[in-house]
Amino acid sequence: MAPMSAAPTALVDVPESVEATIEECLRRAAGPGVPADDLLDEAVERWIDHGVALETVLASVHEAIRARLRTAPAHPGDAEPLDLLRGTLDLLDETTARISGAYLRRLDAAPEQPRPGSRTFAAALLAGTATTAVARQCGCHLADEYWILALARPRFPAVPRPGIDPRVWAGRVLRALDLELSRQFPGRGAAVLSADGGTLLLPAADCDDADLEMLVRGLTGAAELPLTVVALRAATAEIPADSAVAHDMLDIALRLGLPARVHRFGDLALEYQLTRPGPGLETLAALLDPLDDQPELLETLGCHIATGLNRKRTSRMLHLHVNSIDYRLRRIAALTGLEAGKSDGLWYLRSAYVAHSYRQSAAPFPYDHRTNTAHLEPVWATDCA
């Protein structure tokens, strides 16, 4: 598989690309000039790199050929009808064989997933059964402490564009993640990954905060979408329990729509405590239940908290007059009994917003209330095409 870029790849429109390529091959075949073989080979490599399924390409090739034959009478000077038909069929045979052969060669040359022992060792660490014997059998070293990285890649879009085989695309992403980990931490990192995320375990003595940030940047480029990561440091014996905590915190970050970046325990300690199951969570979340039928009020509350209670900034974000913001805040106070202008009311509103958003699985207006930074749209709502 070709190396992945650090930014989302601009994918071709498969039918249009195939049709344009076939038209150019026909044009070159009709007279002297540059051979069509190089053009077709380059196009096929591009389609393979973009994860386009073989059946999609072949279907587009046949459609392009049919379109060429349908328009042939409109160009009587191109060739005699019989010669044109023979040339087109010859091109179809050659093109089909060349494309199929390229896909098969790429399949044969595809490397195995790097270091399968890494996944076995990671599974043992996560289960609490890792020993020096297990590490030796897996070709790994058992460290005293590890960084636990729980990571998630947005599931939207499932594939960047119709015509891309989801299995091919998922396999491409997974290989790219594995290869990036092996490139930055050769022989040291252990991972259990899928195309949507997973768990990385890195010996704590081998990496610092800067190394973690660099790794996540590389993995984000490999995944071609922003990754949300929670990083915890744990002793080897504590990995099973602490990995569960890391994924709980990752779930919190995703539910609250927090930025796609590396989050430490200290960053999410308040949210973690507020969202633990029990009567506290339900009581806090229920404080905002009166706003469920009026989502514009919930949106206004989230935005107002995110702007540090700055009415003018809130009005600009929501494209409303300040008087409209004041009216909505009064409505929130009337419905919940909590006033954002009072310290106790604000504390409860902040906490209730976290609990309510977590319970609803997604904040209606994602924001980072610790840094007073509002996110007007989810970080993954970028057109990867």
Side-chain angles (χ1 to χ4, degrees):
M1 189 64 64
M4 309 277 286
S5 63
T9 305
L11 296 178
V12 295
D13 186 299
V14 178
E16 291 183 6
S17 175
V18 172
E19 182 177 352
T21 301
I22 295 301
E23 284 294 332
E24 179 62 17
C25 288
L26 285 167
R27 188 189 67 78
R28 293 186 182 187
V34 181
D37 292 352
D38 291 342
L39 173 70
L40 183 59
D41 290 343
E42 291 176 4
V44 171
E45 289 297 316
R46 187 168 63 253
W47 298 329
I48 295 175
D49 286 342
H50 290 153
V52 182
L54 174 59
E55 54 267 31
T56 300
V57 174
L58 293 181
S60 298
V61 168
H62 282 78
E63 181 56 36
I65 293 294
R66 282 193 291 269
R68 176 71 175 183
L69 292 175
R70 283 195 298 268
T71 60
H75 306 283
D78 286 350
E80 292 296 327
L82 186 57
D83 292 338
L84 176 63
L85 178 60
R86 287 172 177 166
T88 303
L89 291 177
D90 288 344
L91 179 64
L92 176 61
D93 288 342
E94 180 181 349
T95 301
T96 301
R98 201 171 192 89
I99 292 173
S100 300
Y103 269 79
L104 289 174
R105 286 192 297 276
R106 179 65 74 91
L107 182 63
D108 290 340
E112 295 294 326
Q113 294 295 334
R115 298 183 60 238
S118 165
R119 287 186 292 278
T120 302
F121 185 56
L125 286 170
L126 292 170
T129 59
T131 62
T132 53
V134 172
R136 192 173 297 111
Q137 291 167 4
C138 296
C140 301
H141 171 71
L142 183 62
D144 294 328
E145 284 188 307
Y146 284 85
W147 278 107
I148 303 170
L149 272 63
L151 63 144
R153 173 183 180 271
R155 297 183 63 87
F156 179 84
V159 293
R161 177 165 297 180
I164 307 297
D165 188 329
R167 294 169 300 176
V168 173
W169 183 256
R172 174 189 174 187
V173 170
L174 180 56
R175 282 191 294 273
L177 290 172
D178 273 336
L179 290 170
E180 181 64 22
L181 176 61
S182 297
R183 185 183 72 81
Q184 292 202 35
F185 289 88
R188 292 175 291 165
V192 178
L193 292 173
S194 74
D196 298 318
T199 306
L200 301 183
L201 298 167
L202 304 172
D206 291 346
C207 59
D208 54 21
D209 286 352
D211 294 327
L212 292 181
E213 296 287 350
M214 183 180 298
L215 173 63
V216 171
R217 283 197 297 271
L219 293 174
T220 295
E224 301 195 2
L225 281 175
L227 293 176
T228 302
V229 180
V230 170
L232 299 181
R233 184 165 176 161
T236 301
E238 302 300 323
I239 287 177
D242 286 353
S243 64
V245 172
H247 279 277
D248 282 345
M249 301 185 87
L250 177 61
D251 184 46
I252 292 169
L254 295 174
R255 289 193 186 200
L256 298 183
L258 298 183
R261 61 177 177 84
V262 180
H263 300 272
R264 269 73 172 187
F265 185 87
D267 299 331
L268 296 172
L270 174 61
E271 290 87 342
Y272 181 77
Q273 197 62 41
L274 288 173
T275 55
R276 291 308 83 203
L281 172 63
E282 295 305 318
T283 300
L284 283 173
L287 291 176
L288 298 188
D289 283 351
L291 306 185
D292 284 343
D293 295 333
Q294 301 186 60
E296 73 280 0
L297 297 183
L298 202 56
E299 179 185 53
T300 301
L301 175 60
C303 183
H304 194 50
I305 294 173
T307 60
L309 310 184
N310 187 310
R311 293 158 51 249
K312 290 184 178 180
R313 288 181 60 199
T314 303
S315 67
R316 286 196 299 269
M317 279 189 184
L318 296 177
H319 305 290
L320 294 172
H321 193 275
V322 174
N323 290 343
S324 298
I325 299 299
D326 290 339
Y327 170 76
R328 289 188 178 186
L329 292 176
R330 288 195 298 271
R331 288 286 298 147
I332 292 171
L335 291 170
T336 64
L338 301 170
E339 295 185 31
K342 295 182 178 181
S343 59
D344 58 342
L346 176 59
W347 195 93
Y348 270 100
L349 282 172
R350 284 178 180 267
S351 302
Y353 189 81
V354 170
H356 187 272
S357 299
Y358 179 82
R359 192 181 66 177
Q360 297 296 322
S361 296
F365 190 82
Y367 73 101
D368 186 347
H369 70 279
R370 296 173 307 282
T371 58
N372 290 333
T373 303
H375 307 288
L376 297 180
E377 61 182 11
V379 293
W380 56 86
T382 300
D383 183 4
C384 294

